[in-house]
Amino acid sequence: MRKPLIAGNWKLQKTIPEATALAGELKNELADFTGADLLVCPPFIDLGVVGREILGSPIELGAQDIFWEDTGAFTGEVSGPMLKSAGCSYVIVGHSERRGFFGDTDEVVNKKLKAAVRSVLIPILCVGESLEKREQKVTKEFLRKQIGASIQGIGIEWIARIVVAYEPIWAIGTGLSASPRMANKTHRFIRELFAEHYDESIAKNLRILYGGSVKPDNARALIAEEDIDGFLIGGASLKADSFATIARYSVL
Ligand code: PGA
């Protein structure tokens, strides 16, 4: 049985006071929540205050990115041991905005994934096709290549820690979410890929989140699908009530 994971990706939003306020509201809304894992991924600068604010609540802390080296002369970067010391248990790796705006190639994503597992952080590996690829009907080929390159050299003992987020790029921040059926079909395909690369048990236990314009009004239908194990939520995670509503729908 895969426990759902409901994760909020705050992206480049929330100053320290704003992040403190949102984390406090989330803690109030979700104090007694059970049945799914809850996660917030604020900007690096907010990790300390958010971590302190959610202490004693069921909400866990994650980062939005990680550097592939643990320490050294790499101005501006943040490493796995640093995230761990800030109280993170998860880290998002390979978000399409990192890939698109900051040049995170599959090779970079692979190195970051390895850095995350080395620091005993749970990576949320983001994958997903562009509108162009979807229209060309090459989504499967694209995902096969993207996932294969991202997980290359990661052994079976480490892969069991990974979470995958399927985020079709055309659905992120656009209000256009994939239909539950379409998303589920792709999730099933991703699960099959993990069975090919590893084994059936890894594939069966792999949590695959859906991301891309998840809102309270579409969350229920999406989570009802067999292979959708939770969400990575951008815009709707910035308001405590919408994040909490989506979390509650995920355990109905
Ligand atoms: P969105 O973002 O929910 O605002 O579409 C999702 C994401 O990028 O993780």
Side-chain angles (χ1 to χ4, degrees):
M1 194 51 192
R2 298 182 298 265
K3 192 174 185 192
L5 169 62
I6 308 301
N9 174 10
W10 295 4
K11 306 191 180 182
L12 184 61
Q13 271 133 166
K14 304 294 173 190
T15 59
I16 290 175
E18 289 166 352
T20 310
L22 176 56
E25 286 167 30
L26 284 167
K27 183 175 176 170
N28 285 342
E29 286 264 1
L30 293 160
D32 303 321
F33 185 85
T34 55
D37 292 333
L38 301 174
L39 173 69
V40 289
C41 301
F44 289 134
I45 191 87
D46 298 329
L47 287 172
V49 288
V50 171
R52 276 192 289 283
E53 200 64 33
I54 60 179
L55 217 61
S57 84
I59 307 165
E60 292 184 87
L61 189 66
Q64 297 174 17
D65 193 24
I66 181 173
F67 188 57
W68 62 76
E69 295 290 346
D70 290 348
T71 182
F74 301 103
T75 303
E77 291 297 335
V78 177
S79 72
M82 292 170 185
L83 297 179
K84 199 77 195 167
S85 73
C88 290
S89 38
Y90 289 80
V91 59
I92 298 171
V93 175
H95 190 280
S96 63
E97 285 150 19
R98 297 292 324 166
R99 295 177 188 262
F101 296 133
F102 306 104
D104 282 16
T105 59
D106 289 342
E107 196 193 338
V108 165
V109 170
N110 179 254
K111 289 204 276 187
K112 291 184 172 184
L113 214 52
K114 287 175 177 159
V117 277
R118 199 167 59 233
S119 284
V120 203
L121 290 158
I122 301 173
I124 301 179
L125 168 64
C126 298
V127 299
E129 80 287 358
S130 61
L131 185 56
E132 196 189 357
K133 297 275 187 263
R134 169 70 57 180
E135 285 175 349
Q136 290 168 351
K137 302 200 184 324
V138 292
T139 297
K140 284 188 174 175
E141 291 80 347
F142 175 82
L143 288 174
R144 177 180 292 281
K145 195 166 158 280
Q146 189 183 44
I147 291 173
S150 304
I151 62 177
Q152 182 160 19
I154 299 187
I156 198 157
E157 67 289 1
W158 286 18
I159 210 75
R161 306 185 52 78
I162 283 181
V163 174
V164 171
Y166 169 58
E167 301 207 303
I169 296 170
W170 47 271
I172 297 178
T174 57
L176 289 175
S177 124
S179 72
R181 209 176 135 257
M182 184 202 275
N184 193 60
K185 254 172 88 179
T186 312
H187 282 220
R188 186 164 305 157
F189 173 71
I190 293 171
R191 209 176 289 293
E192 284 164 16
L193 285 179
F194 275 78
E196 276 174 33
H197 279 278
Y198 299 95
D199 64 28
E200 285 295 337
S201 139
I202 290 287
K204 204 172 117 246
N205 292 312
L206 179 71
R207 288 198 286 188
I208 308 177
L209 314 183
Y210 170 76
S213 299
V214 174
K215 305 269 178 315
D217 58 7
N218 60 13
R220 218 163 163 165
L222 284 160
I223 200 76
E225 296 289 336
E226 198 181 321
D227 285 285
I228 298 181
D229 306 316
F231 300 119
L232 183 54
I233 311 162
S237 73
L238 298 171
K239 292 252 171 347
D241 58 346
S242 55
F243 184 80
T245 303
I246 296 169
R248 287 191 198 100
Y249 283 161
S250 74
V251 294
L252 281 181

